Amino acid sequence: MTKPWKREENGETIIRTCAWSPPGCHPVGCGLQLHVKDGVLTSVEGDPEHPITRGALCPRCLALKDVVYHKDRIMYPMKRDPKDRGKDKWERITLKEAFDLLEEKTRYFTEKHGPESIVVFCGTGREATVFHNELTFMGFGSPNACYAQSGWSCYAPRVSQMAYLMGGGYPEIDYAARYPDRYEHPGWEAPKYIMLWGKEPLKSNADGLWGHAIIDMMKNYGTKLICVDPRINWIGTRAEINLQLRPGTDAALALGLLNVIITEDLYDHEAVEKWTFGFDQLAERVKEYPPDKVAEITWVPKELIIDAARKFATSKHSALGWGLSVDQNPNGIQVGQALLALLAITDNIDVPGGCTLGLPITDDTNVDMINRAMEAGTVSEELFEKRIGAKEYPFVCQLMSTNHPDAVLDTLESGEPYRLRMGVFQSSNVIGGAISAAQVRWLEAMQKSLEFVCATELFHNATTMALADLVIPLKTFAEHNTMVESHYGFNVAFNGACNAAVEVVEGVSDLGFMMEIGRRMFPDYWNQFESEEDYQSKVRIPDKLSWEEFREIGIQQPEEIYRKAEKGLMRFDGEPGYMSTTGKIELYSTVYEHFGDDPLPYFIEPPRSPVSTPELFEKYPFVLTTGGRVYPFFHSEHRQIDRLREINPQPIVEINSAAAKRLGIAEGEWVWIENELGRVKQVAHLTEGIGERVVHAQHGWWFPEQDGEEPNLFGFRQSNINVIMPHKAIGKMGFGDTFKCEICNIYKAAEQ
Ligand SMILES: Nc1nc2c(c(=O)[nH]1)N[C@H]1C(S)=C(S)[C@@H](COP(=O)(O)OP(=O)(O)OC[C@H]3O[C@@H](n4cnc5c(=O)[nH]c(N)nc54)[C@H](O)[C@@H]3O)O[C@H]1N2
Ligand SMILES: Nc1nc2c(c(=O)[nH]1)N[C@H]1C(S)=C(S)[C@@H](COP(=O)(O)OP(=O)(O)OC[C@H]3O[C@@H](n4cnc5c(=O)[nH]c(N)nc54)[C@H](O)[C@@H]3O)O[C@H]1N2
Ligand code: SF4
Ligand SMILES: [Mo]
């Protein structure tokens, strides 16, 4: 018998809830029980009745209380005189005054310079993300929604590829996510092999895949692992095969695997015949990638490539978990295409123990807000066309409805085609945080271009200190009601209720922020919603249940249906097949061709690499990959939470032990990581788990304990790896960056 969402026990109120943000996490919605006494959160524990997490939590949720009651938390709205930017000089104001000021500035810039002069920045996965387009188009009436990672290189590339190649549906490992009885469910099968491609789900729980589900399947059902990762990470130490590739050569490796499978006739002829388009052309293309050549490119031994291909193709069924490394690669569009081909030709799509598919996304979701905004009259088609970079990068900007990140930096610097004058930061610490490359350029460009800046935040950081004129505090997920939808709706495991348990700040939730500015700017539309809960019910909760009805259910898992293409569920017209131009999964992409790229997957070297720039590589003789996730932090967050910081006190760069020895670098020493753009300092960690020619640096580093004022800005210039990540190292179609495939030199820092 499931417990109610709220109960009294031993003088405490216990609230069952799903976790989300803030503090940051992806929309995974792990199950929590929040204990409250006299209006104060006293403890946090896992919820054993949550069908997926079953009581398991990672350290960040266990430290939730430390975030909620942290001494440095922003407790009330604050404004600052623009001449004091960079100084810790804030004036407390009321929430009403904060929104009055925001409204006044929004009206001023809209009337004087056009709504396109306002740009709304948003980062990853947090609640703000699902409202980003809506807030921009229907709150501020601007077309410029910006996710500032170069090449929009997170998740969007993978989702777009699937939309272009098969009309939607995001393939995810079948870990029995949609069954209330999970692994016991009749008809579910465990994958025989899981290939983890540049993904470490134990640490990242990325997007809506829980790493511990993989452990469950390995322990209880004998599932075996193939890891494709330049590092042997924790889960890699349990893998049967590790393909330790040179960072950024993923497309070559995927094409090599396809070569083996097609040459040795290991593919599923019926699946190919019925559900794919362009197999013969693909078969021709992969001839260019025989295993010995691929071994040379990728640094993966030929025998391992052949072994992995055979095992993956001949085990019914195999699943693939594809991670961020697919996106953070200028060649990533082709990596995704080759990986989808790998699944499709081995009949591992939408089958038990293979990869499940989400249903195609319909218009009434939050994904494409533009139609709703145009209907409500908050933006016009003409205004929408003014999105920065939309004309240059249609492959990115049409489907995402946003602007192009790299084009935004160009515009901030040049004022062309028009000047961006007002910035809103909602869930993105663009300066000295995680998202942007060439961070000092972003800082200087925004200082020059943005005349008014508003940020919603939990804590001050380099972005608020350097730029904000107005700061509005955020309620954590323990302080507001919302619905978390795993995988952003692309392959939903469940929808869960996040229940408010305590009141702490004079602030807003992301939805509350949007509704308040929306009501002021576009009352005709926004006044239809009485409250945040009413909005949730009318717009987000399936079947439009009321908030009260939904929170009683708590967790709502959609039905699992395999082989949806056969059943006509992958097309809006109900016909069998997929919603692509050809009605099939396009191994040969008519859409890539239309946008001017090669319709077939191919490998291209990263812009800087031992092969593409051998002379530069002599000077910078390591391949650099960055940003592998760690338990205690979500991007730039949590650095001020002592219990979490203790786990990872300083920024760490991983170096192979033998290579470090040659360089005279010992464990725990500060080293410089240097490239053409400059250098940053991190602490060396020596390991056998990474090849001798590769290093891995952590991302998102700043030091909340240091001076926050200019010029120090919490010391981000010292250690934040994105200070030396390049601007616009993007792919031909506009997606991808080189965060996981750069080059650098490493040497001991004189001062330790
Ligand atoms: N704790 C925590 N969880 C998070 C986040 C966080 O900041 N902290 N961030 C969230 C976000 S926004 C995202 S996008 C996800 C990302 O989560 P994941 O998709 O799991 O990605 P990463 O952890 O960045 O990297 C996964 C693995 O890719 C390997 N790798 C590096 N370069 C390459 C390469 O060139 N090719 C291949 N094949 N592998 C490579 C790394 O060594 C690493 O082990 O995590 C989410 N979850
Ligand atoms: N070198 C390198 N850089 C990377 C990566 C990498 O692998 N390597 N990964 C990249 C990836 S995949 C991503 S997605 C980006 C992420 O980049 P971002 O998502 O921009 O992450 P942060 O810099 O931590 O900034 C997020 C801010 O939002 C605030 N916040 C937290 N929760 C909420 C909330 O619910 N609402 C609102 N309004 N604010 C909230 C936090 O306090 C924080 O200051 O980083 C990218 N940067
Ligand atoms: S992944 Fe970790 S931090 Fe995120 S919701 Fe789950 S337990 Fe909390
Ligand atoms: Mo991300």
Side-chain angles (χ1 to χ4, degrees):
M1 206 9 221
T2 9
K3 298 205 169 64
W5 74 270
K6 188 176 188 175
R7 65 186 194 273
E8 302 293 326
E9 238 174 63
N10 306 324
E12 288 189 322
T13 307
I14 302 174
I15 291 160
R16 295 180 63 207
T17 190
C18 292
W20 192 7
S21 77
C25 200
H26 269 176
V28 285
C30 302
L32 297 186
Q33 303 196 80
L34 302 178
H35 292 240
V36 176
K37 195 169 176 155
D38 302 327
V40 176
L41 180 62
T42 53
S43 65
V44 173
E45 61 180 338
D47 180 359
E49 294 184 344
H50 188 289
I52 303 215
T53 55
R54 298 175 164 186
L57 288 183
C58 67
R60 299 192 308 285
C61 264
L62 286 171
L64 176 65
K65 208 161 56 100
D66 302 23
V67 176
V68 172
Y69 298 115
H70 196 279
K71 66 174 176 39
D72 297 337
R73 199 164 158 204
I74 300 174
M75 298 299 290
Y76 39 78
M78 291 188 257
K79 69 172 182 183
R80 181 171 61 179
D81 191 321
K83 74 172 177 0
D84 287 330
R85 278 188 182 179
K87 294 190 190 136
D88 195 11
K89 274 183 139 179
W90 302 94
E91 181 192 335
R92 176 174 180 169
I93 53 174
T94 65
L95 207 47
K96 178 171 178 308
E97 286 165 343
F99 278 103
D100 286 348
L101 178 61
L102 186 62
E103 179 186 346
E104 180 202 316
K105 295 290 181 187
T106 307
R107 289 195 188 283
Y108 170 81
F109 289 106
T110 302
E111 281 154 24
K112 192 128 195 269
H113 302 285
E116 67 273 22
S117 65
I118 303 170
V119 53
V120 183
F121 293 94
C122 180
T124 189
R126 307 176 187 86
E127 193 177 3
T129 323
V130 301
F131 301 128
H132 185 198
N133 287 358
E134 188 169 3
L135 171 70
T136 312
F137 306 153
M138 302 183 76
F140 291 99
S142 160
N144 277 315
C146 181
Y147 168 86
Q149 184 177 176
S150 181
W152 227 126
S153 306
C154 173
Y155 199 58
R158 276 171 281 166
V159 169
S160 300
Q161 288 156 42
M162 294 309 104
Y164 288 145
L165 298 170
M166 64 172 173
Y170 181 91
E172 186 55 272
I173 298 168
D174 182 6
Y175 58 100
R178 290 196 267 258
Y179 303 123
D181 52 350
R182 297 292 309 281
Y183 310 115
E184 287 79 40
H185 191 85
W188 178 77
E189 282 171 30
K192 300 277 185 307
Y193 275 90
I194 293 178
M195 191 179 281
L196 282 180
W197 196 290
K199 181 162 189 141
E200 192 180 7
L202 258 329
K203 290 174 178 169
S204 65
N205 275 0
D207 305 305
L209 166 70
W210 285 263
H212 45 74
I214 293 175
I215 306 292
D216 290 344
M217 295 190 286
M218 290 172 78
K219 269 191 178 165
N220 301 327
Y221 302 93
T223 297
K224 296 193 172 91
L225 274 189
I226 301 170
C227 287
V228 181
D229 198 307
R231 304 187 296 157
I232 299 189
N233 55 31
W234 185 88
I235 202 161
T237 62
R238 275 80 176 162
E240 187 174 296
I241 306 175
N242 275 289
L243 304 178
Q244 257 185 295
L245 80 172
R246 167 162 66 96
T249 61
D250 300 66
L253 184 58
L255 284 156
L257 296 173
L258 286 169
N259 173 294
V260 175
I261 293 167
I262 296 176
T263 314
E264 297 189 5
D265 195 8
L266 307 178
Y267 59 93
D268 189 303
H269 287 248
E270 194 187 333
V272 165
E273 184 62 32
K274 266 181 147 164
W275 305 115
T276 69
F277 173 78
F279 179 77
D280 293 342
Q281 290 97 320
L282 178 71
E284 237 355 83
R285 174 58 56 88
V286 303
K287 283 187 187 152
E288 295 169 30
Y289 298 89
D292 44 359
K293 180 175 161 192
V294 169
E296 201 180 307
I297 299 172
T298 60
W299 300 347
V300 178
K302 173 182 164 184
E303 300 68 39
L304 286 187
I305 300 172
I306 296 172
D307 190 29
R310 287 179 183 159
K311 285 184 169 139
F312 187 86
T314 57
S315 312
K316 289 275 160 106
H317 282 278
S318 300
L320 176 108
W322 49 334
L324 179 57
S325 60
V326 174
D327 305 331
Q328 289 180 336
N329 181 337
N331 194 192
I333 289 296
Q334 287 74 31
V335 180
Q337 187 184 13
L339 293 181
L340 180 65
L342 189 66
L343 286 170
I345 72 168
T346 53
D347 190 31
N348 281 313
I349 290 195
D350 225 9
V351 291
C355 278
T356 63
L357 278 191
L359 288 166
I361 299 277
T362 52
D363 288 348
D364 62 348
T365 64
N366 267 304
V367 176
D368 186 358
M369 279 308 309
I370 192 60
N371 295 331
R372 220 162 88 200
M374 285 187 197
E375 242 166 65
T378 60
V379 288
S380 64
E381 202 167 330
E382 191 195 346
L383 183 65
F384 187 60
E385 290 311 311
K386 290 189 180 166
R387 265 145 47 246
I388 304 282
K391 290 202 180 65
E392 298 88 319
Y393 304 104
F395 190 81
V396 174
C397 301
Q398 275 181 17
L399 213 66
M400 301 306 301
S401 295
T402 58
N403 57 30
H404 192 279
D406 298 77
V408 171
L409 176 53
D410 292 343
T411 293
L412 286 164
E413 287 181 335
S414 67
E416 298 296 334
Y418 52 84
R419 180 166 163 192
L420 294 165
R421 292 170 189 270
M422 171 169 156
V424 179
F425 291 83
Q426 212 197 9
S427 90
S428 200
N429 180 7
V430 179
I431 307 304
I435 202 162
S436 55
Q439 294 201 334
V440 178
R441 274 177 71 177
W442 278 93
L443 170 63
E444 289 169 359
M446 293 204 275
Q447 281 171 327
K448 197 175 78 177
S449 190
L450 300 179
E451 294 165 39
F452 179 75
V453 169
C454 167
T456 61
E457 261 305 345
L458 287 180
F459 298 99
H460 280 296
N461 53 34
T463 305
T464 63
M465 276 295 185
L467 296 165
D469 306 300
L470 173 66
V471 176
I472 301 182
L474 282 172
K475 297 178 178 177
T476 65
F477 72 82
E479 295 158 64
H480 70 279
N481 293 326
T482 189
M483 181 188 95
V484 56
E485 183 187 38
S486 75
H487 263 300
Y488 312 90
F490 291 105
N491 194 337
V492 185
F494 67 87
N495 297 299
C498 311
N499 292 306
V502 287
E503 272 181 48
V504 182
V505 296
E506 191 182 338
V508 290
S509 68
D510 289 316
L511 175 57
F513 179 79
M514 174 167 79
M515 289 176 72
E516 184 58 33
I517 190 66
R519 278 206 180 99
R520 287 160 177 260
M521 298 304 297
F522 304 105
D524 288 352
Y525 178 79
W526 287 99
N527 282 342
Q528 68 175 303
F529 306 111
E530 281 163 25
S531 60
E532 292 178 34
E533 290 75 11
D534 187 42
Y535 173 97
Q536 298 286 3
S537 164
K538 286 182 175 146
V539 181
R540 298 188 69 225
I541 298 174
D543 304 326
K544 302 205 183 328
L545 298 179
S546 71
W547 173 255
E548 285 68 29
E549 287 167 323
F550 176 65
R551 77 152 40 136
E552 286 302 327
I553 300 168
I555 287 174
Q556 201 185 42
Q557 289 163 290
E559 191 188 357
E560 181 64 273
I561 308 169
Y562 296 112
R563 298 211 185 268
K564 289 186 279 296
E566 251 173 53
K567 298 166 186 148
L569 296 171
M570 292 307 291
R571 293 175 60 95
F572 293 152
D573 63 10
E575 291 295 316
Y578 291 89
M579 219 160 36
S580 62
T581 321
T582 55
K584 303 211 169 164
I585 296 178
E586 297 197 346
L587 311 176
Y588 176 107
S589 170
T590 55
V591 180
Y592 289 15
E593 192 170 40
H594 166 80
F595 280 105
D597 208 341
D598 191 328
L600 292 164
Y602 59 89
F603 166 66
I604 182 169
E605 276 286 333
R608 280 160 295 279
S609 84
V611 180
S612 55
T613 53
E615 279 161 29
L616 208 58
F617 195 66
E618 275 178 30
K619 202 165 164 205
Y620 303 113
F622 288 94
V623 179
L624 167 68
T625 177
T626 69
R629 283 20 179 178
V630 291
Y631 289 113
F633 309 132
F634 197 75
H635 295 292
S636 75
E637 293 185 62
H638 302 102
R639 299 299 190 290
Q640 60 282 88
I641 309 302
D642 293 344
R643 280 205 285 170
L644 295 172
R645 185 73 179 275
E646 210 177 297
I647 303 172
N648 193 150
Q650 305 288 11
I652 292 172
V653 55
E654 287 175 22
I655 313 173
N656 173 275
S657 312
K661 203 168 165 203
R662 274 200 305 277
L663 297 170
I665 296 169
E667 175 75 22
E669 287 185 324
W670 285 93
V671 294
W672 288 110
I673 308 165
E674 186 172 69
N675 67 12
E676 285 174 297
L677 300 178
R679 61 180 195 176
V680 293
K681 228 163 65 156
Q682 299 199 353
V683 168
H685 172 54
L686 277 41
T687 168
E688 307 297 320
I690 194 164
E692 291 199 28
R693 292 169 284 186
V694 182
V695 294
H696 171 272
Q698 289 184 346
H699 79 299
W701 271 91
W702 59 295
F703 304 94
E705 67 277 15
Q706 287 189 17
D707 181 9
E709 295 198 332
E710 283 269 31
N712 191 53
L713 293 177
F714 300 108
F716 85 89
R717 292 179 187 84
Q718 177 192 320
S719 294
N720 195 304
I721 195 71
N722 289 8
V723 168
I724 63 163
M725 286 292 124
H727 172 53
K728 240 184 188 170
I730 59 180
K732 186 174 176 190
M733 308 304 281
F735 276 130
D737 61 25
T738 53
F739 287 4
K740 293 216 188 315
C741 47
E742 269 301 326
I743 60 173
C744 70
N745 190 18
I746 285 236
Y747 54 94
K748 202 160 142 174
E751 280 173 36
Q752 286 295 317

